[in-house]
Amino acid sequence: MKPFLLVAQREITTRIRKRSFLVMTLLGPILFGALIIAPALLSSSSEPEDLNLLVVDHSYILPGTPKAEGANLAYLNPAEVSEEQGLKLVRDQEEVDGLLYIPESINGDAEFSIQNAKLYTKETAPLGLASELEGLLERFAYEGKLRHFGVDPAIVTQAKSSASVKSLELSDQGSQASGTEVKTAIGFLGGILVYMFTFLYAAQIMRGVIEEKTSRIVEVLVTSVKPAQLMLGKILGIATVGLLQFGIWIVLTLAVASAAGAAGLLATDPSQMEAMSAAGMPQSGMMQSALEVLDTINVPGLIGMFLFYFLSGYLLYGALFAAVGAAVDSETDTQQFMLPLTLPLVLTFVMATSMMENPNGTLAVVLSMIPLSAPIAMMIRIPFGVPWYELLASMSFMVLGFLGTVWLAGRIYRVGILSYGKKTTYADLWKWIRMKH
Amino acid sequence: MNALRAKGIHKRYATHHALRGLDMEVPQGSLFGLLGPNGAGKTTLIRIINRILEADEGSLELFGSPLGPDAAQRIGYLPEERGLYKSMKVGEQAMYLARLRGLSSADAKQRLHSWFERWELQSWWDKKVSDLSKGMAQKVQFITTVLHEPELLIFDEPFSGFDPINAQLIRDEMLRLHREGRTIVFSTHRMESVEELCSHIALVHQGRNVLHGTLQDLKDQHRSGQFILRYRSEQPLELHLPEGVSASEHRIETDGIIHLGLRAGVQDASRVLSALASQVQPYQFEEVVPSIEDLFIKTVTQA
């Protein structure tokens, strides 16, 4: 067997027999699912309790509404209580959380009062409470004005109508639902997966290289295997492990989902969804439109693209991480070299939102052409449709990019793995790259 | 034939010139000691022979043909900085290294089992490398170095890290391989093991081969013409020395034995002995032969 294949084979067999591989493979989908579901669960279950507010309304705008979103309102007689007295009452009563104070209007104009209202709370007011109260005040001021002009607010309400514009994309196949939200979600998910896997597996390469270097076994290995082959064997071995793990995750997820579907835990057909929406589950409508949009997306193509960008991005970053591993003596020394590698990934991710807002804008197009950011940027853009020539250009750059980084990393690697004891600097790396072997 | 022939090897690193036109010939079947102070370029030379590094200039022949990609199969190399994958099992690790050296899976397994049996390591086959003592790990490394039965063996500081018993084991194994006709090059700082084992040596200093040859030739070349005559007497005697011979030292060594150090010509042994034998009761006569350590220090400090 070729030495290079032996290296890859060793990476695969030693890694898949590790307990951590088994644990990650089984727990991965659960953890990932939890990552997505937990925020939703947390935000719904930890609904903050309504605050108890006292109201001193010197302008008589509020008609005694007992509740606002997030607050219970108890009115004090404005004729008897001043702002200071109200505040004293709030301080004295433990069950009261704060005071809403509305000053007296000038010449019967509510405008002044509602622009100078104050909300006192004992603890920091929850996000949105102030704007909620502003809305309340605006509504009653508006109704007051309508009445002032002799218009019945009920008529105005009846005169209102609600419109809905469905966004459709005109393409060769006719018009299709554009489903921006769903595409955003798919793009974001693809981007996050590429980002996570790249880091996860590239870091494994780096650790493997450091292990070979610190245990000094590398000196024996490089007599049988050329350093470049050793590096590539390692990168490909770990890629195989990654794809295997990923494949198991997909199978497991599908199995769990279909089991849950069979048990009726997941609504997969429209009738079930209607039942759910009847039971007051608001998301089912969105789910249905999501399924509709999914039909319009070329899913095998999307998965193919995902695999391409995942693999090429991983190869590119894997080679660079291998070079970092070769340049240092221990994992603690990697910091100085990690920043230029993590920065492009993190920055692309930070700019993900602006790219999703404008998937064919200059920023998105440029980032999807640069090999360091393309794996994430392209995953975000693809669900929205990318012209074939841009895709071709980006993929060509990706291939050139990883060939380039593999070459570059190989030059650092072959010198780095045999230098011990001295702290490596960027100047050293530059020397190594130019050095004849 | 030479197992190894290096000519005019140069190797420059970014900041220093490690090898400066080094020439070296290792005769086939020799047990060759590669000596030199730290930083002399020994490890660089060994790495070049193993094709880990490439020489900037010069040529290198292995058994008469230029060093090629088959070197890994023909050379067994035990580096000074040596280690194993800690979390791998001992047997698997040995199999992996053996297969990297070109052995088939079946061959590797069979040979490894016979070595493991011989060195009483069988029970460790399925244990992790991290469970091995340092000495045992070194034994495993030695086995993986020689397992593919290469024609040329290179050991960089083979005795470092071994306890005396295991060092003896390695020494015996080296002698056995030498008797089998294998060529062995080893570097060491232990001069006593050089005297004991080597047939040939080369002394590398500042990137050049400054002293080389068979052990005996070198000793002969560096004869100083100094002799010691010990004779029986209570007191040093008034002696008549032959022409061209002077006494460097004349003293009581132990009760009844007198030590006489003599400086003469290299060829003067029998003339000195016959002139003095009639004057005293000889107890012992010897030529002072330089040790390898003396040669080493003399060459290095003079260079």
Side-chain angles (χ1 to χ4, degrees):
Chain A
M1 203 190 279
K2 288 242 164 67
F4 152 80
L5 289 176
L6 276 170
V7 173
Q9 189 194 42
R10 192 200 76 88
E11 292 297 334
I12 297 167
T13 50
T14 53
R15 275 166 206 279
I16 60 176
R17 269 185 318 199
K18 274 189 192 159
R19 204 169 297 133
S20 57
F21 176 81
L22 191 71
V23 172
M24 261 314 278
T25 308
L26 295 180
L27 288 185
I30 299 174
L31 284 176
F32 199 66
L35 208 66
I36 292 169
I37 296 168
L41 276 181
L42 283 177
S43 65
S44 63
S45 67
S46 69
E47 193 82 4
E49 274 187 37
D50 289 351
L51 296 187
N52 293 315
L53 298 181
L54 297 180
V55 181
V56 176
D57 182 5
H58 281 139
S59 69
Y60 301 93
I61 285 179
L62 295 177
T65 326
K67 256 197 83 68
E69 182 82 38
N72 297 315
L73 307 176
Y75 294 82
L76 300 171
N77 185 351
E80 291 173 4
V81 183
S82 69
E83 186 178 354
E84 287 71 29
Q85 285 165 324
L87 286 175
K88 190 175 179 307
L89 282 171
V90 170
R91 283 207 193 86
D92 291 347
Q93 289 172 281
E94 209 170 292
E95 67 277 10
V96 175
D97 298 305
L99 176 79
L100 174 64
Y101 172 75
I102 304 160
E104 201 171 343
S105 57
I106 297 169
N107 306 327
D109 182 7
E111 213 65 22
F112 173 81
S113 318
I114 65 170
Q115 286 191 4
N116 291 285
K118 290 173 192 162
L119 173 65
Y120 297 96
T121 49
K122 287 177 180 167
E123 280 159 29
T124 310
L127 204 68
L129 180 59
S131 63
E132 184 60 38
L133 294 171
E134 280 163 10
L136 197 69
L137 291 173
E138 279 164 10
R139 202 177 93 220
F140 286 113
Y142 174 70
E143 285 181 6
K145 278 183 183 169
L146 287 179
R147 270 191 213 93
H148 178 76
F149 295 125
V151 180
D152 182 353
I155 295 174
V156 175
T157 314
Q158 275 180 28
K160 271 191 185 153
S161 41
S162 153
S164 163
V165 176
K166 194 174 182 189
S167 167
L168 295 167
E169 266 172 26
L170 204 56
S171 70
D172 297 343
Q173 287 85 41
S175 56
Q176 297 178 327
S178 62
T180 308
E181 300 87 358
V182 180
K183 288 181 179 175
T184 306
I186 292 174
F188 192 68
L189 192 70
I192 225 176
L193 282 176
V194 167
Y195 175 83
M196 272 180 33
F197 286 152
T198 304
F199 262 130
L200 202 67
Y201 295 116
Q204 283 193 22
I205 296 176
M206 187 182 77
R207 250 176 260 128
V209 173
I210 293 175
E211 187 205 349
E212 278 170 5
K213 200 180 158 182
T214 49
S215 73
R216 303 290 196 252
I217 192 165
V218 72
E219 180 123 7
V220 174
L221 296 182
V222 290
T223 57
S224 309
V225 195
K226 288 259 153 224
Q229 289 193 8
L230 182 61
M231 187 180 91
L232 278 178
K234 190 173 235 4
I235 291 175
L236 289 188
I238 293 177
T240 313
V241 175
L243 285 178
L244 182 72
Q245 193 165 45
F246 194 62
I248 297 175
W249 282 350
I250 290 177
V251 171
L252 272 184
T253 311
L254 288 181
V256 168
S258 65
L265 291 174
L266 265 180
T268 45
D269 64 85
S271 68
Q272 271 178 312
M273 272 188 221
E274 268 157 39
M276 280 168 77
S277 71
M281 299 184 74
Q283 267 132 8
S284 61
M286 219 176 95
M287 233 161 156
Q288 192 164 10
S289 68
L291 287 177
E292 212 172 275
V293 174
L294 270 182
D295 279 343
T296 71
I297 290 174
N298 176 0
V299 175
L302 190 72
I303 292 179
M305 283 293 123
F306 173 78
L307 285 179
F308 174 83
Y309 280 101
F310 164 51
L311 271 183
S312 55
Y314 159 83
L315 285 175
L316 189 149
Y317 277 99
L320 292 175
F321 273 65
V324 171
V328 299
D329 274 345
S330 71
E331 219 171 320
T332 46
D333 293 340
T334 57
Q335 292 304 331
Q336 54 159 342
F337 298 119
M338 292 294 280
L339 190 67
L341 299 190
T342 51
L343 208 60
L345 275 178
V346 173
L347 275 185
T348 317
F349 212 71
V350 167
M351 287 186 274
T353 336
S354 5
M355 281 192 280
M356 283 185 276
E357 276 165 12
N358 192 0
N360 287 311
T362 315
L363 177 74
V365 173
V366 168
L367 286 180
S368 66
M369 291 297 149
I370 301 171
L372 285 172
S373 55
I376 293 175
M378 246 337 171
M379 283 327 291
I380 289 171
R381 289 188 62 201
I382 282 173
F384 296 95
V386 177
W388 65 268
Y389 52 87
E390 280 186 16
L391 212 58
L392 189 71
S394 163
M395 288 170 91
S396 320
F397 288 146
M398 240 8 253
V399 172
L400 289 180
F402 85 68
L403 289 179
T405 47
V406 166
W407 176 84
L408 191 79
R411 292 188 74 88
I412 293 176
Y413 183 84
R414 65 192 177 141
V415 187
I417 47 174
L418 296 171
S419 348
Y420 316 114
K422 191 171 149 279
K423 202 161 176 185
T424 313
T425 62
Y426 278 102
D428 292 328
L429 295 188
W430 178 237
K431 255 185 246 151
W432 294 355
I433 290 170
R434 289 183 310 158
M435 195 189 279
K436 196 174 154 284
H437 204 235
Chain B
M1 186 165 61
N2 285 320
L4 197 70
R5 183 155 174 268
K7 258 193 111 174
I9 305 278
H10 278 270
K11 179 72 190 173
R12 294 173 192 86
Y13 292 115
T15 49
H16 82 288
H17 197 159
L19 294 178
R20 309 168 180 229
L22 180 130
D23 299 317
M24 196 171 93
E25 288 181 4
V26 178
Q28 187 164 15
S30 60
L31 217 172
F32 195 96
L34 187 59
L35 315 179
N38 292 327
K42 292 178 308 238
T43 298
T44 300
L45 176 65
I46 288 175
R47 283 180 172 175
I48 289 173
I49 298 170
N50 280 293
R51 302 180 81 237
I52 297 171
L53 296 176
E54 238 172 71
D56 295 333
E57 281 172 51
S59 67
L60 204 68
E61 283 176 6
L62 191 64
F63 297 100
S65 47
L67 195 68
D70 62 343
Q73 279 87 54
R74 306 179 74 180
I75 301 177
Y77 171 41
L78 184 70
E80 179 181 10
E81 300 274 11
R82 46 188 175 251
L84 299 165
Y85 289 111
K86 287 194 180 58
S87 55
M88 243 179 138
K89 285 181 180 163
V90 177
E92 265 180 301
Q93 167 91 79
M95 286 287 290
Y96 174 59
L97 292 174
R99 296 195 62 199
L100 277 180
R101 289 289 193 180
L103 284 182
S104 74
S105 185
D107 257 2
K109 192 169 232 162
Q110 190 231 321
R111 290 188 197 182
L112 276 173
H113 276 298
S114 85
W115 269 97
F116 272 49
E117 214 158 290
R118 199 145 73 80
W119 279 5
E120 291 166 1
L121 290 164
Q122 313 96 307
S123 58
W124 294 90
W125 184 274
D126 276 326
K127 298 249 170 64
K128 278 198 173 175
V129 170
S130 52
D131 296 337
L132 291 179
S133 68
K134 199 178 170 200
M136 273 195 276
Q138 302 247 31
K139 278 187 186 175
V140 174
Q141 280 155 352
F142 186 86
I143 292 172
T144 58
T145 306
V146 300
L147 193 74
H148 59 298
E149 299 183 349
E151 302 150 87
L152 174 63
L153 286 157
I154 299 174
F155 302 134
D156 200 355
E157 292 290 343
F159 305 116
S160 74
F162 278 104
D163 62 38
I165 292 170
N166 282 327
Q168 186 59 45
L169 187 73
I170 298 301
R171 205 190 321 271
D172 291 346
E173 211 51 54
M174 284 167 68
L175 287 171
R176 187 183 68 80
L177 291 162
H178 178 54
R179 278 196 303 275
E180 280 181 10
R182 240 64 76 73
T183 312
I184 301 172
V185 175
F186 78 104
S187 80
T188 185
H189 283 112
R190 294 196 191 178
M191 293 305 156
E192 75 278 8
S193 55
V194 175
E195 302 256 6
E196 187 189 334
L197 291 170
C198 292
S199 60
H200 295 66
I201 66 159
L203 175 59
V204 179
H205 183 50
Q206 292 174 340
R208 287 186 195 88
N209 184 354
V210 291
L211 192 71
H212 56 100
T214 68
L215 208 59
Q216 194 56 53
D217 282 350
L218 285 174
K219 290 195 170 190
D220 287 351
Q221 278 166 27
H222 290 83
R223 287 164 71 187
S224 54
Q226 291 193 45
F227 301 92
I228 295 170
L229 174 68
R230 293 189 180 82
Y231 60 90
R232 293 182 191 282
S233 168
E234 292 306 319
Q235 289 296 323
L237 301 174
E238 200 64 39
L239 294 173
H240 174 70
L241 297 176
E243 204 181 310
V245 177
S246 63
S248 58
E249 223 184 343
H250 204 179
R251 58 180 170 81
I252 300 172
E253 189 166 270
T254 49
D255 259 356
I257 302 290
I258 307 299
H259 173 119
L260 171 63
L262 292 161
R263 270 193 292 263
V266 175
Q267 308 297 337
D268 286 344
S270 67
R271 193 164 68 88
V272 171
L273 183 60
S274 57
L276 290 171
S278 55
Q279 300 179 49
V280 297
Q281 284 276 334
Y283 172 68
Q284 203 177 37
F285 182 72
E286 66 179 66
E287 183 179 344
V288 178
V289 181
S291 70
I292 287 298
E293 188 158 4
D294 294 337
L295 280 182
F296 182 102
I297 291 169
K298 197 171 131 200
T299 315
V300 168
T301 49
Q302 279 173 1

